[in-house]
């Protein structure tokens, strides 16, 4: 639903990135539904993704109930990571500042007496911030586990 409201920007970006990969490495989008737990687990077992990007926090329970450890077996990133999702890694969309910017946009239209349906669509985008969390492996921790090589004998 959210992807439809956002004119498929989430899935579109993902599919554009997938097109850059060899066909054998591509993973199809999973069409989430509140009653698709069984199909989701089958999808994970078939495609074995390293990480899942989601807007649905219930997926965490689905993964754990399938016997998979987060983040050892699979990472989990929330695309709208809010304060109530403690422990999750993800993108903090900063909805508070987005609301402020939207009100400023509306006030500008009122100030300049811009009324009615606009002749063109305007979109307001604010950058998101990465929030580290326990649902993905730490890059620092992973680097320490890798064997080091030396160019000197």
């Amino acid at each position: 639903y959210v992807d439809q409201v956002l004119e498929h920007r989430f899935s579109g970006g993902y599919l554009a990135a997938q097109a850059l990969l060899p066909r054998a490495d591509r993973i199809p989008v999973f069409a989430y539904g509140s009653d698709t737990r069984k199909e989701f687990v089958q999808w994970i077992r078939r495609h074995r993704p390293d990480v899942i990007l989601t807007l649905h926090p219930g997926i965490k329970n689905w993964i754990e109930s399938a016997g998979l450890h987060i983040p050892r077996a699979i990472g989990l990133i929330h695309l709208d990571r809010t304060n109530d999702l403690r422990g999750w890694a993800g993108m903090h969309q900063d909805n508070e500042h987005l609301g402020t910017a939207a009100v400023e946009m509306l006030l500008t239209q009122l100030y300049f007496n811009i009324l009615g349906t606009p002749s063109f669509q305007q979109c307001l985008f604010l950058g998101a911030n990465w929030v580290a969390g326990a649902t993905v492996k730490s890059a620092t921790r992973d680097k320490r586990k890798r064997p080091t090589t030396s160019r000197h004998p």
Side-chain angles (χ1 to χ4, degrees):
Y1 168 76
V2 173
D3 196 45
Q4 290 174 346
V5 170
L6 295 173
E7 297 175 335
H8 303 284
R9 286 185 178 95
F10 284 142
S11 60
Y14 176 80
L15 292 170
Q18 287 283 297
L20 300 174
L21 298 174
R23 286 192 187 277
D25 294 338
R26 296 179 190 174
I27 298 176
V29 172
F30 179 79
Y32 171 84
S34 60
D35 60 346
T36 58
R37 180 187 174 281
K38 180 181 174 186
E39 293 85 356
F40 177 72
V41 172
Q42 291 171 345
W43 177 85
I44 286 177
R45 295 200 189 286
R46 178 174 183 204
H47 298 289
R48 300 173 42 150
D50 295 324
V51 67
I52 293 177
L53 310 176
T54 186
L55 289 166
H56 309 286
I59 282 180
K60 185 173 188 271
N61 294 334
W62 290 2
I63 293 170
E64 292 170 338
S65 68
L68 299 170
H69 183 270
I70 300 169
R72 190 174 61 241
I74 190 168
L76 199 52
I77 294 173
H78 202 284
L79 294 173
D80 190 16
R81 193 338 192 130
T82 54
N83 291 335
D84 60 320
L85 295 171
R86 297 203 190 285
W88 277 74
M91 301 306 299
H92 176 67
Q93 299 295 336
D94 202 359
N95 294 321
E96 294 81 14
H97 283 114
L98 179 60
T100 300
V103 168
E104 288 174 355
M105 182 185 282
L106 178 61
L107 289 174
T108 299
Q109 290 173 343
L110 291 172
Y111 180 81
F112 288 106
N113 200 30
I114 301 170
L115 305 171
T117 304
S119 58
F120 59 91
Q121 181 182 14
Q122 286 185 314
C123 293
L124 178 62
F125 291 99
L126 296 182
N129 296 308
W130 173 253
V131 178
T135 58
V136 293
K137 295 176 185 176
S138 166
T140 305
R141 185 172 58 231
D142 287 349
K143 285 180 185 174
R144 282 185 270 155
K145 290 181 181 177
R146 293 184 186 142
T148 56
T149 58
S150 173
R151 293 178 186 253
H152 305 287

